[in-house]
Amino acid sequence: MKKIKLFLAGVATFITVVVLSGCGTQNQSNKRTLNLMQTSELTTLDNTNQATLPEFNTLTNISEGLYRLNSNDQPAPAMATKLVKPTDNGKKYVFHIRKNAKWSNGDPVKAEDFEFAWKRAMNPANNPVYTYIFSGIKNADAIMANKKSYKTLGIRATGDRTLVITLDHPMTYFNKLIAMPVFMPQDKSFVTKVGVKKYGTNAKNTVSNGAFKITKWTGTNDSYQLVRNPYYWDKKSIKLDRINYKTVKDPNTAHNLFQSDKLDDATISGVTAKSLQKNKDLKRVPKAWTYYLQVNQKSGQPLANQKLREAISLLINRNELTKKVLSDGSEPASSFVSPKTSVDPITGRDFSQETSTSVEPNLQKAKRLWNQGRKEAKISGTLKLSIIGDDQDVTRNVAQFVQGQINQNLPNVKVNISNLPDKAYQNRRTNGQWQLSQWYWLADFADPINYLGILTTNNTMNPGHFSDKTYDRLVASAKKADNQTDYWRDLRQAEKRLQKLTGVIPLYYVKEDHLVNPKLSGVEYHVAGFADYTRSRLAK
């Protein structure tokens, strides 16, 4: 995703689209204003210490890194003047920054803005959560292991417009990787002026280098606007004047807003999506996106016992979940890596499909493992488990389904659910006050390593504390592989190992349903990544 950490849950949680009050009338009269929705509140735009969907969705439309993804999901030059081929046996990249690239306050975009932002993202003082994604860049792993200073990261500005990036080893996916929002630059002089604690907390303390800049965001309100950046290097390609955003958590509300011309792109799910599958305005957006349960495996937690985790996974009827609860085309998850993420070039098969296991529930085996696990963990009496998630309707519905499956099919257990506003949810999740956490992973770039890499020991995206030496070794080996055969072999074995140990409990592959204004065109809906509206337009 979330990163990606990515804090929405369920199928209703990807695309951003919002409307300020009264903008339905405005939308009819001004075809250069787009009304979109977020399914969760925006809490920050500091890409060095967060990785949430609202943040990444917004950053995609206001900022640019060295590259951006084009309509074919391939990297295209953005702040960089061209796509770069590595030298030094695949370990050195030299980028040149556009001469006409500027921030929304008029400051020139400099190479040092990338060095500043990337090193901030590795600085422990900033409480970064997405550090693992830098693995492979020189010294990143040593920095994460507290063996070297973040200042030694392999990125260096050698002039105002020349940037040199050095890797520990070749990375065949590096050009795709750095199109992610976490690798976007930050205006060093501006951030230094406002202070790192205030940067990105509201519109006043945020600048951007993309097609738009943010306005009317206080840091706590659920609606805001994007307006054109007058300094954007490619402003001739931008047809919109403004994008309005508002948080809309309920899919039925989103549908009503769309019907009243107050949303141009509405994300729907559940009963609402089920009833609209034949609607002429329905657009099914393919996504590399898995919704799953994180399992708290920290020492002393009951689900640190592998048999208890496996028992829960075995009893969940994923077919019933997707058909009766979600009803939007989402599919049962049989592997952590979602379908269509990547084709294994060695076998010619979809990676997810070739590593899948059965999704059919096995209640008899689940009960046997549950009883064995209770004995091993020395648990007596009623075991109390908690499921936490955000407060979207779809998240609640999934939580209630899982709660019912466990309470009804396993003995001596009581499951409580807590669906909380985002900030409260994140605080509780960070503090480890849960046994099961509703979560998802939306691939940031189209490769299985983007999924599997987040579950290594001590990874910041692994709050469930899944830890296995064999799994870690396989992922590390894949990252350093110098040939395709070894790379994909290690990835297949890592996925199988994860499933064997029930490191996480995959539930379903998200199917994203949108109601889209037929006059809207030019939106780049990325399979791996975030929707880009910057080149979109509304016909008259």
Side-chain angles (χ1 to χ4, degrees), residues 162-411:
T162 303
L163 185 70
V164 179
I165 298 173
T166 307
L167 309 182
D168 280 327
H169 51 80
M171 298 168 65
T172 58
Y173 52 86
F174 185 70
N175 274 343
K176 284 187 177 181
L177 179 73
I178 58 175
M180 292 173 53
V182 72
F183 292 104
M184 289 174 175
Q186 292 181 353
D187 185 347
K188 181 179 179 180
S189 62
F190 180 85
V191 177
T192 302
K193 180 179 178 180
V194 302
V196 294
K197 291 185 178 181
K198 291 184 178 180
Y199 175 70
T201 57
N202 53 44
K204 179 181 178 181
N205 292 322
T206 303
V207 293
S208 55
N209 66 332
F212 294 88
K213 63 179 182 179
I214 191 167
T215 65
K216 298 187 177 181
W217 178 51
T218 66
T220 58
N221 55 325
D222 63 1
S223 62
Y224 52 93
Q225 292 182 348
L226 307 186
V227 298
R228 289 183 66 153
N229 173 10
Y231 300 105
Y232 182 51
W233 69 274
D234 191 27
K235 58 185 177 183
K236 68 180 185 300
S237 300
I238 309 306
K239 308 304 179 184
L240 297 173
D241 289 326
R242 180 168 63 217
I243 300 176
N244 294 324
Y245 283 91
K246 184 178 178 63
T247 303
V248 182
K249 298 181 179 181
D250 176 46
N252 190 53
T253 301
H255 176 215
N256 291 335
L257 289 170
F258 180 82
Q259 285 186 306
S260 59
D261 295 326
K262 292 181 179 179
L263 282 179
D264 294 304
D265 190 332
T267 307
I268 56 172
S269 62
V271 175
T272 303
K274 183 178 181 180
S275 66
L276 295 170
Q277 288 300 301
K278 295 183 179 180
N279 188 287
K280 62 181 178 60
D281 296 321
L282 183 72
K283 180 180 179 64
R284 297 176 180 88
V285 178
K287 302 300 298 181
W289 193 352
T290 301
Y291 188 89
Y292 64 102
L293 291 175
Q294 291 177 326
V295 188
N296 193 338
Q297 298 162 58
K298 194 172 183 178
S299 178
Q301 288 286 335
L303 299 184
N305 182 277
Q306 190 273 331
K307 289 180 180 177
L308 295 181
R309 300 195 301 272
E310 186 179 357
I312 292 175
S313 181
L314 283 171
L315 65 85
I316 297 175
N317 191 324
R318 292 165 175 80
N319 284 305
E320 184 176 344
L321 171 63
T322 54
K323 292 179 180 179
K324 295 184 179 181
V325 178
L326 299 172
S327 306
D328 58 0
S330 295
E331 299 176 352
S334 54
S335 173
F336 183 47
V337 177
S338 67
K340 301 186 186 304
T341 297
S342 188
V343 172
D344 182 341
I346 307 304
T347 64
R349 299 180 61 194
D350 181 279
F351 180 86
S352 178
Q353 294 176 353
E354 72 177 356
T355 57
S356 288
T357 56
S358 173
V359 296
E360 293 299 321
N362 188 331
L363 298 183
Q364 185 176 2
K365 183 177 180 181
K367 290 178 181 178
R368 183 174 71 251
L369 289 171
W370 183 257
N371 291 328
Q372 292 174 354
R374 285 176 61 94
K375 291 180 180 179
E376 290 179 358
K378 299 179 180 180
I379 297 171
S380 60
T382 300
L383 175 60
K384 295 182 179 180
L385 300 177
S386 62
I387 302 176
I388 65 169
D390 65 32
D391 58 353
Q392 295 181 68
D393 285 347
V394 67
T395 312
R396 291 192 185 94
N397 293 341
V398 172
Q400 290 169 3
F401 177 83
V402 174
Q403 177 191 43
Q405 294 273 286
I406 298 174
N407 284 343
Q408 294 167 19
N409 292 298
L410 293 178

Side-chain angles (χ1 to χ4, degrees), residues 37-88:
M37 65 177 263
Q38 292 272 27
T39 52
S40 187
E41 293 85 358
L42 178 66
T43 58
T44 182
L45 282 173
D46 184 350
N47 61 309
T48 62
N49 64 8
Q50 290 289 341
T52 67
L53 278 180
E55 176 200 4
F56 277 9
N57 282 329
T58 305
L59 284 169
T60 297
N61 291 285
I62 66 172
S63 291
E64 290 185 344
L66 294 165
Y67 302 143
R68 58 183 293 273
L69 293 181
N70 62 20
S71 58
N72 296 317
D73 286 342
Q74 298 300 312
M79 291 297 97
T81 57
K82 65 178 182 179
L83 293 177
V84 174
K85 292 183 178 180
T87 57
D88 189 21

Side-chain angles (χ1 to χ4, degrees), residues 90-209:
K91 295 191 294 184
K92 183 179 180 180
Y93 289 76
V94 179
F95 296 90
H96 297 287
I97 309 302
R98 295 181 183 276
K99 293 181 179 179
N100 59 339
K102 291 186 177 182
W103 293 96
S104 55
N105 61 357
D107 289 348
V109 177
K110 297 181 179 180
E112 69 174 1
D113 295 334
F114 284 91
E115 180 179 356
F116 173 73
W118 290 23
K119 288 182 176 178
R120 274 201 70 215
M122 295 295 292
N123 184 352
N126 294 326
N127 297 314
V129 298
Y130 226 42
T131 53
Y132 84 91
I133 205 68
F134 287 82
S135 180
I137 299 174
K138 187 176 180 179
N139 293 332
D141 290 337
I143 295 168
M144 287 183 278
N146 296 316
K147 294 180 180 179
K148 289 190 177 182
S149 166
Y150 69 93
K151 296 179 181 180
T152 67
L153 184 69
I155 180 172
R156 181 168 56 96
T158 60
D160 282 350
R161 301 193 181 280
T162 303
L163 185 70
V164 179
I165 298 173
T166 307
L167 309 182
D168 280 327
H169 51 80
M171 298 168 65
T172 58
Y173 52 86
F174 185 70
N175 274 343
K176 284 187 177 181
L177 179 73
I178 58 175
M180 292 173 53
V182 72
F183 292 104
M184 289 174 175
Q186 292 181 353
D187 185 347
K188 181 179 179 180
S189 62
F190 180 85
V191 177
T192 302
K193 180 179 178 180
V194 302
V196 294
K197 291 185 178 181
K198 291 184 178 180
Y199 175 70
T201 57
N202 53 44
K204 179 181 178 181
N205 292 322
T206 303
V207 293
S208 55
N209 66 332

